[in-house]
Amino acid sequence: MLFSALVMAYLITFFYRVSASVVLPALSSDWGMSATLTSLISSLYFYAYAAMQPLSGVLNDRLGPSRVASYGLIVGGAGSVLFGLAGSPAMLAAGRLLIGLGLAPMLSGCLVYSGAHFERADYSRNSGITFFMGNLGAVIAVAPLGAALDTWGRQRVFIYMAVLAAALAAVVMLLRKNDRLACEGASKPLRIS
C-alpha cells in the first residue's frame, strides 16, 4: 500500500511538470507576459527540482521515503495553492518554485523504498511501474487538465490538486509504519534485501 501511495506521489510530480504548458500560454496572453517571463516561470519548477536532486537521495535514505514524501507533498501543495491564487507573475513563479522543491524527492523515494522493502528481482518491475505511472501523470496534465481548467478555472483546479496532495500526504504518513527506513532512523544500520 505504501509503495502504491509513493507511486501516486510520483504521478502528481509529472502532472505538475507538464501542467505549465497547459496553463501558462493562455495566462501569459491574458496578462501580457513576455515569452521570456512565461518561460522563466515554467522553468522554475525544473530548476528547483534539479537543485534538490542531490539532497533528495540523502533525505530519503536518512528519514525514509514516507516522511520525505509527506513533507514534500505538503510543500508542493502549498506551491499549488500559491500558483492557483496567483494574481501576478511573481506569485506564479513562487508557486512553481515551491512545487518543484516539494516534489523533487518523489522518484528517488519510490526507488529507495522499492530497494529496501522488496526482493532484488522485483526492483526492475517496480521501477517500470513507477515510471509508467509517472508518465501517466503527464498524460493527465494535458487534455484532462485543459478540460478541468475550462470547467472550474485555474484557482479551483490548483486548490483541488493541493487538497489531493495533502490527502495523499496524510495517507503516506498513516502508512509510515510500513517504512523500515523511516522507523529505524539514520543512526541504526539497515539490511537492504
Side-chain angles (χ1 to χ4, degrees):
M1 289 297 293
L2 181 54
F3 179 68
S4 298
L6 292 171
V7 169
M8 292 307 297
Y10 185 55
L11 180 146
I12 289 173
T13 300
F14 254 81
F15 171 87
Y16 280 114
R17 182 180 295 187
V18 175
S19 67
S21 64
V22 177
V23 176
L24 289 177
L27 200 55
S28 67
S29 176
D30 291 347
W31 289 6
M33 293 188 300
S34 69
T36 304
L37 180 58
T38 304
S39 299
L40 174 66
I41 291 168
S42 179
S43 67
L44 285 173
Y45 170 96
F46 299 100
Y47 293 140
Y49 192 96
M52 277 294 294
Q53 286 312 299
L55 187 57
S56 293
V58 173
L59 288 172
N60 279 304
D61 286 340
R62 296 262 170 107
L63 302 176
S66 59
R67 192 175 295 160
V68 174
S70 296
Y71 298 149
L73 286 164
I74 297 300
V75 171
S80 183
V81 169
L82 192 58
F83 189 85
L85 296 176
S88 70
M91 284 180 67
L92 287 172
R96 281 293 280 176
L97 189 67
L98 275 177
I99 293 168
L101 285 172
L103 299 182
M106 299 308 150
L107 174 60
S108 59
C110 290
L111 300 178
V112 166
Y113 184 86
S114 180
H117 291 83
F118 294 98
E119 298 295 322
R120 280 183 202 256
D122 296 333
Y123 189 79
S124 60
R125 181 199 65 218
N126 291 345
S127 297
I129 290 168
T130 300
F131 287 110
F132 170 78
M133 292 301 291
N135 285 301
L136 188 59
V139 171
I140 294 169
V142 183
L145 175 59
L149 290 168
D150 290 343
T151 303
W152 297 305
R154 175 177 50 95
Q155 182 177 1
R156 281 189 184 162
V157 168
F158 280 89
I159 289 174
Y160 292 156
M161 285 303 298
V163 169
L164 176 65
L168 186 55
V171 167
V172 169
M173 280 308 276
L174 288 173
L175 296 172
R176 191 178 107 200
K177 66 183 181 299
N178 299 322
D179 185 356
R180 292 183 349 210
L181 292 169
C183 295
E184 294 189 22
S187 62
K188 297 180 183 174
L190 175 70
R191 292 187 57 150
I192 296 185
S193 53

